[in-house]
Amino acid sequence: FIRLKLLKMNSALYQYINYIKSDFKKINKSRKAKLFELSSYLIHKNKTRGQANLTFICTHNSRRSHLAQIWAATSASYYGLNNIFTYSGGTMVTRFNDRVIKTLKKNGFVINNPDGHNPHYLVSFSDRNRPLECFSKKYDSPFNPKKNFAAIMTCSNADSTCPYIPESEERILIPYDDPKVYDGTKSEEKFYQKSCKKIATEMLFCMKIVDEKKMCKNLN
């Protein structure tokens, strides 16, 4: 329980993380190839002692991009990778979807309940880290970095419609199925949980690779 003690992470979230780590072995080779592409970027940043900024991009910045941003930040913190900062954006502005917020709360995140058309939510995963300020925005929002970042495309549609981003150091496609197709069905909760778990598992796996490389470097 060393990581829990260091992070002062919500115990329910800590338990969820340890539960999904067993799914690392289920990640197929093609997905791992994409995740290694992302981890290689982060390892390079760590070697050069640079800050690694990741902007996760999806069409509406409502579901998958927020899940990826939040889980990447949580995973980096879990493995003690303090130079990684995460952001998200879309090709259009909508709002942070209520179903995603409900799913994250069930898995142990602490999230406030602001009002408004496109409210800014504060998402907390440990006492050590400042809450993430999450709301729907365009990928080039002033809230996001303008240079020294990697653009992570979380849906194929955003990858095809999002214009060339000359300021990004890397552009990596790691697409996820949209749980939106199950909105209003009996399977809605099941598939939001499934989407959340897949993204969480892959972000944890990616950060684990970075952590292992960091540990090897420190031992040499």
Side-chain angles (χ1 to χ4, degrees):
F1 291 89
I2 293 175
R3 292 196 188 277
L4 174 61
K5 184 177 180 181
L6 289 175
L7 299 179
K8 296 182 180 178
M9 186 175 284
N10 182 302
S11 60
L13 179 57
Y14 180 81
Q15 290 171 12
Y16 181 75
I17 287 173
N18 280 283
Y19 161 65
I20 62 177
K21 282 164 64 178
S22 63
D23 280 355
F24 287 169
K25 60 183 178 293
K26 296 179 183 178
I27 303 173
N28 65 42
K29 289 183 179 180
S30 62
R31 295 297 296 182
K32 282 184 177 179
K34 290 294 183 182
L35 297 172
F36 279 127
E37 193 175 347
L38 174 55
S39 65
S40 294
Y41 172 79
L42 297 173
I43 290 166
H44 169 72
K45 283 296 190 179
N46 184 62
K47 284 181 179 178
T48 59
R49 299 183 182 276
Q51 176 175 312
N53 298 312
L54 304 177
T55 301
F56 294 89
I57 301 173
C58 201
T59 306
H60 298 115
N61 190 208
S62 177
R63 294 171 175 80
R64 290 165 287 178
S65 50
H66 275 118
L67 283 170
Q69 176 196 0
I70 291 165
W71 272 114
T74 304
S75 302
S77 179
Y78 178 82
Y79 285 108
L81 305 171
N82 301 318
N83 70 323
I84 298 173
F85 298 86
T86 67
Y87 306 84
S88 66
T91 55
M92 62 182 72
V93 177
T94 55
R95 63 174 288 151
F96 189 5
N97 191 267
D98 294 340
R99 296 171 183 84
V100 173
I101 294 166
K102 179 181 177 182
T103 301
L104 289 168
K105 284 182 175 180
K106 283 192 173 183
N107 293 331
F109 289 91
V110 177
I111 305 174
N112 68 334
N113 296 294
D115 296 320
H117 174 68
N118 182 20
H120 291 218
Y121 292 88
L122 298 179
V123 180
S124 300
F125 52 87
S126 83
D127 292 342
R128 192 181 103 181
N129 299 84
R130 292 179 60 185
L132 296 173
E133 185 174 351
C134 297
F135 63 101
S136 184
K137 72 197 80 66
K138 288 192 68 177
Y139 67 90
D140 57 356
S141 162
F143 197 82
N144 292 339
K146 295 295 176 292
K147 60 180 180 179
N148 301 324
F149 71 96
I152 315 301
M153 318 306 289
T154 60
C155 70
S156 299
N157 186 54
D159 187 53
S160 62
T161 60
C162 188
Y164 172 60
I165 308 172
E167 298 85 358
S168 66
E169 296 177 315
E170 295 283 347
R171 180 178 176 132
I172 304 169
L173 174 62
I174 307 179
Y176 294 97
D177 293 335
D178 193 352
K180 180 182 179 180
V181 299
Y182 294 97
D183 286 3
T185 71
K186 292 180 180 179
S187 301
E188 178 181 288
E189 183 175 350
K190 174 185 175 181
F191 280 93
Y192 270 85
Q193 284 290 351
K194 182 179 179 180
S195 180
C196 181
K197 184 182 178 185
K198 181 178 178 64
I199 293 172
T201 301
E202 293 193 348
M203 290 300 107
L204 279 163
F205 176 81
C206 180
M207 298 305 170
K208 176 178 178 289
I209 299 303
V210 179
D211 181 49
E212 288 175 346
K213 286 291 185 179
K214 182 180 178 182
M215 291 291 289
C216 289
K217 179 182 177 182
N218 292 337
L219 289 173
N220 292 333

